[in-house]
Amino acid sequence: MNEKIVGIQKWLGINQAGSDDTSLKLGEASEMRNWRVTQDGALRKRPGMKAVHTFPGEIQGTWCGYVGGEYVQVAAAAGKLWKIGFPATTAASELGALADAHTEFFGFREKLYILNGTQYKVFDGYKLSDVTGYVPTVLVGVGADGSGTELEQINKLSSKRKYRIATDGKSTVYVCPEDGTLSVSVKNRATGAALAAGTDYTFAEGKITFTSAPPAGADVYEVEYTVASDDSGAVRAMKFAELYNGATDNRVFLYGDGSNKALYSGLDIDGNPTAEYFPDMNALDIGDENTPITAMIRHYSRLLAFKEDSAYSVQYGTVTNAEGKILPAFYWTQVNKAIGNTAPGQVRLVDNSPYTLFGESVYTWKNNSSYSSNLTIDERQAKRISDRVWKALQDFDLRQAYCWDDNDRKEWYCVYGDTAIVHNYGLNVWYLYTNFPVNHFYRVYGRLLGARGNTLVEISNAFRSDCGEAIDARWESGNMHFGADFMRKYSAMLWIGLVPTYAGSMTVTVMTDRKADFSKKLVFRNSAAFDHANFAHWSFNTNKRPYMTRLKLKATKVTYYQLILTNDDADTTATVTSADIRVRFTGYVR
């Protein structure tokens, strides 16, 4: 038989991997912009946007989650932290001042912590303030000569520390254990009462002089003292955070100051985790000093660390110091010496596997061994997955890209400028969004929001335009030869399957190797709805089942055939289930 129906029943995204587009699968596109593939394999015009809030400056970061028992959503913009109300269309309120720079958030123990490379701040649900830092007890059993037993390390974030005095019953003068002590305050540990400076004691030249000799006892008094400086600048210089501690996530790892160093938090004297205590020795130097850490992410029981050209696995352990005390420690091993991550802070855990940007490609990291899911020293674990969008990635500066995983939709985004590359990893298909300069995504109560310049937008299929701007959607098949590139074909008609939606329409045309200018056929299938009613597209159809439309587009003596679907109307959308082309073979190509 010299005639057949060639049907596209599943849409497979874009494929730029080949040297030409003649070998694409049915359903793959040689060009595809502003269409997405639904979870059941249909082709749908991408979601539009609606403005939710406009801020006086560019949005530098967003976050939502619980703070102090209240679910909140916040944004950093115009040098301030803003609390956004529910619903999001209500007025935003100022919470306090921030540096107007890229801002990262992380929640920890009912508080929200904020990093931007120059500040380390905390929001407790009531006020925004600088993190002043936990005050550690550095020594206990301190005698009159200032010597004692070490307990906690000093905190980089604080110029304050504590120590406990062991009184001998006869001494009145007790030397402070640290040179350069500027001030002290003393309290009775048993009663919690503060001693009166000038009455119960005096402080001068690094010595505390009690009015009378305190009774003998172990750690009778607690002294909180202040020195001239701290190392809080090392903490404030960090731009990113990740939580990890082996089997739990009760330590904060900070990185991103342009070095190979990560700082990690400690536990307080009662063993509680805190994001306000970074002990002086809690620093992890990964790899050589010349290359900075670009990203860290927890992966199963390990913490993965990436540089631009290498990858490392960090695990929890312990070490015994000279005094015989067992201390927590973290050890790293290199798992890849050639591939890493380029974009600072943009590694995302996608379906339990990290996605990284390296070179001009996207990599996923996965250990397929049966005995462990953790990455080991095996360069085969880094797999390039972006060949189908390699042409689009040529225009990306991956050092400036923004990445996000929409776990609800199973879509991973990589945005640079106004273009987004999207991997639907549930279906393993790729597509491109243009005029899409959106970043700082987050989901709140099932709604997807993101930052578009100084505007917070909601992204939804309910919106058919981008804040009133038309979305230019175009899908082009490859040059299809229908299994016989050596034969000429004749095609007079095709059928398009549409899902009825309110204001659903698109334009269908074709191109061939013999002719590029074919007529354009408008296909529409609307269902009744009164929201956003536009009577130019009105229908009283309530049938939601797919509908087939026959189109007559005559193509003669062709070798290659391209199907083109477009929608650039600000008032319409489209969901395509199938396309079926009637083809008759008429002879051999000469």
Side-chain angles (χ1 to χ4, degrees), residues 287-331:
D288 64 86
E289 295 182 4
N290 297 329
T291 53
I293 299 170
T294 58
M296 303 185 86
I297 195 164
R298 169 142 185 212
H299 186 233
Y300 297 104
S301 63
R302 301 290 177 87
L303 177 66
L304 300 185
F306 295 92
K307 296 186 173 186
E308 285 199 2
D309 58 358
S310 53
Y312 304 80
S313 177
V314 178
Q315 61 180 312
Y316 175 82
T318 59
V319 64
T320 303
N321 65 9
E323 288 76 29
K325 187 176 181 180
I326 299 175
L327 301 173
F330 294 89
Y331 303 92

Side-chain angles (χ1 to χ4, degrees), residues 421-442:
I421 291 175
V422 184
H423 185 210
N424 184 326
Y425 52 91
L427 298 173
N428 191 23
V429 299
W430 296 80
Y431 28 92
L432 308 177
Y433 292 168
T434 60
N435 193 29
F436 196 84
V438 184
N439 52 28
H440 304 304
F441 295 104
Y442 68 99

Side-chain angles (χ1 to χ4, degrees), residues 238 255-262 285 288-289 291-294 307:
M238 299 300 183
Y255 67 96
D257 65 345
S259 74
N260 72 326
K261 189 182 299 293
D285 296 298
D288 64 86
E289 295 182 4
T291 53
I293 299 170
T294 58
K307 296 186 173 186

